[in-house]
């Protein structure tokens, strides 16, 4: 079956790296390393099919609590990915964006990230957003802090606050709502990811572990998405 309807904003919770590594008798870090291949595949797919926004949950606020060695492996992998892939991303016209609280980030990782964002800033095919040190509740708390500061400074009144105002204060202020959210590895959770932004997203769960996730798996998810009826609170009849 042909795909005629692609999501504008695709978000993915990349899960199952650790279990994949365990299955192979390898350390967890190897699972993350293999997971980079799947990242490459989904980015390429989005470019090839003109999907304008791809957001990947790469490191949550809770992931800081993992063993120090694994956290370091993930940071090193991020630096390696950015350095190694920057040219290919550029050639594909990919723009890089980050959401999350980078205050805790090791300087080297932050530096590489900002330099890569700068290098790719004029690109216009797919915007790849990496959620790093990201947690939806932290994002909302930060937004509320900034809203309060603006009220105190006289730049905003409580009466003027609408849903659009809140959207403006989120890390994702420059991204549209999520249309399709995929989670791999057979877990049925949202894990503090884009809680505001997925209000009307279609959810797709697959048992495939992230390191084994390919373009074909993504194609199947989008095919499934295209056959869903998105009603946004209306009735089927109203949509006709
Ligand atoms: C979840 O699997 C995955 C992560 C916490 C990290 C995701 C990172 C990558 C895919 C590689 C790096 C990404 C980029 C963009 C360079 P898990 O470790 O929780 O797996 P488990 O549930 O099987 O233990």
């Amino acid at each position: 079956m042909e795909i005629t309807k692609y999501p504008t904003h695709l978000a993915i919770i990349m899960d199952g790296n650790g279990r994949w590594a365990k299955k192979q008798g390898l350390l967890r870090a190897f699972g993350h390393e293999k997971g980079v291949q799947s990242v490459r595949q989904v980015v390429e797919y989005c470019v090839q099919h003109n999907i304008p926004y791809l957001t990947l949950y790469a490191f949550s606020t809770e992931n800081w609590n993992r063993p120090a060695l694994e956290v370091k492996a993930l940071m090193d992998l991020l630096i390696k990915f950015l350095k190694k892939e920057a040219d290919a991303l550029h050639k594909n016209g990919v723009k890089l964006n980050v959401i999350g609280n980078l205050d805790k980030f090791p300087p080297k990782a932050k530096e590489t990230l900002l330099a890569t964002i700068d290098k790719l800033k004029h690109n216009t095919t797919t915007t790849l957003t990496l959620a790093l040190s990201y947690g939806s509740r932290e994002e909302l708390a930060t937004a509320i802090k900034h809203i309060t500061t603006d009220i105190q400074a006289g730049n905003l009144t409580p009466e003027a606050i609408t849903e659009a105002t809140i959207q403006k204060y989120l890390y994702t202020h420059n991204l549209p709502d999520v249309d399709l959210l995929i989670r791999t590895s057979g877990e049925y959770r949202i894990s503090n990811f884009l809680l505001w932004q997925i209000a009307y997203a279609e959810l797709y769960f697959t048992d495939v572990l992230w390191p084994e996730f390919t373009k074909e798996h993504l194609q199947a998810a989008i095919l499934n998405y295209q056959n869903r009826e998105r009603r946004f609170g209306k009735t089927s009849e109203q949509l006709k």
Side-chain angles (χ1 to χ4, degrees), residues 147 151 156-166:
I147 288 174
I151 290 175
L156 183 69
T157 63
E159 298 72 30
I161 295 174
T162 62
E163 291 181 15
T165 317
I166 293 170

Side-chain angles (χ1 to χ4, degrees), residues 2-120:
E2 205 197 328
I3 297 185
T4 50
K5 193 178 98 184
Y6 288 92
T8 299
H9 187 174
L10 167 67
I12 307 181
I13 302 176
M14 312 181 286
D15 196 10
N17 294 351
R19 273 163 288 165
W20 179 86
K22 199 169 171 198
K23 241 176 39 176
Q24 321 292 319
L26 299 169
L27 290 172
R28 296 176 56 81
F30 286 99
H32 299 313
E33 202 158 333
K34 182 77 168 42
V36 173
Q37 282 182 20
S38 306
V39 170
R40 209 174 288 132
Q41 296 229 5
V42 296
V43 173
E44 273 175 22
Y45 183 97
C46 289
V47 171
Q48 281 160 2
H49 296 91
N50 300 313
I51 295 177
Y53 298 96
L54 170 66
T55 300
L56 302 177
Y57 204 4
F59 195 89
S60 72
T61 45
E62 291 74 22
N63 285 154
W64 289 115
N65 300 322
R66 290 197 174 191
L69 217 59
E70 184 172 345
V71 171
K72 181 166 183 324
L74 278 165
M75 293 297 140
D76 289 348
L77 195 57
L78 176 69
I79 295 172
K80 194 167 136 194
F81 168 80
L82 294 169
K83 291 199 162 157
K84 199 163 158 226
E85 302 294 323
D87 286 339
L89 292 172
H90 199 30
K91 215 168 115 206
N92 277 325
V94 175
K95 185 175 177 155
L96 185 64
N97 180 40
V98 65
I99 54 172
N101 182 350
L102 294 188
D103 289 349
K104 277 190 178 174
F105 252 61
K108 181 102 194 297
K110 198 169 163 180
E111 232 169 73
T112 313
L113 198 56
L114 297 180
T116 315
I117 289 175
D118 192 60
K119 178 181 163 94
L120 308 180

Side-chain angles (χ1 to χ4, degrees), residues 200 202 228-239:
Y200 281 102
E202 295 297 326
R228 307 243 187 127
E229 182 185 64
R230 302 187 74 196
R231 291 201 292 274
F232 298 97
K234 294 182 177 172
T235 67
S236 270
E237 288 66 33
Q238 283 176 303
L239 295 175

Side-chain angles (χ1 to χ4, degrees), residues 1-2 14 58 62 70 85 104 144 171-172 174 190 214:
M1 201 177 157
E2 205 197 328
M14 312 181 286
E62 291 74 22
E70 184 172 345
E85 302 294 323
K104 277 190 178 174
I144 290 165
Y171 294 136
T172 54
N174 49 1
I190 302 300
T214 61

Side-chain angles (χ1 to χ4, degrees), residues 125-239:
T125 59
T126 297
T127 296
L128 167 64
T129 298
L130 297 180
L132 292 167
S133 193
Y134 175 87
S136 208
R137 289 181 170 184
E138 193 271 345
E139 176 182 38
L140 288 168
T142 302
I144 290 165
K145 224 179 280 169
H146 290 151
I147 288 174
T148 315
T149 310
D150 277 353
I151 290 175
Q152 279 170 344
N155 299 326
L156 183 69
T157 63
E159 298 72 30
I161 295 174
T162 62
E163 291 181 15
T165 317
I166 293 170
Q167 167 70 21
K168 236 173 58 187
Y169 283 83
L170 298 175
Y171 294 136
T172 54
H173 58 91
N174 49 1
L175 304 178
D177 274 358
V178 174
D179 298 299
L180 172 62
L181 172 68
I182 297 175
R183 182 171 189 146
T184 58
S185 89
E187 304 288 349
Y188 299 86
R189 280 192 297 279
I190 302 300
S191 302
N192 204 12
F193 189 45
L194 303 175
L195 299 180
W196 174 277
Q197 300 84 345
I198 59 164
Y200 281 102
E202 295 297 326
L203 308 181
Y204 181 88
F205 299 96
T206 169
D207 287 342
V208 176
L209 302 174
W210 180 251
E212 289 170 342
F213 193 82
T214 61
K215 281 182 190 171
E216 287 66 39
H217 294 117
L218 179 52
Q219 177 93 351
I222 294 177
L223 201 55
N224 181 290
Y225 162 82
Q226 129 166 315
N227 295 326
R228 307 243 187 127
E229 182 185 64
R230 302 187 74 196
R231 291 201 292 274
F232 298 97
K234 294 182 177 172
T235 67
S236 270
E237 288 66 33
Q238 283 176 303
L239 295 175

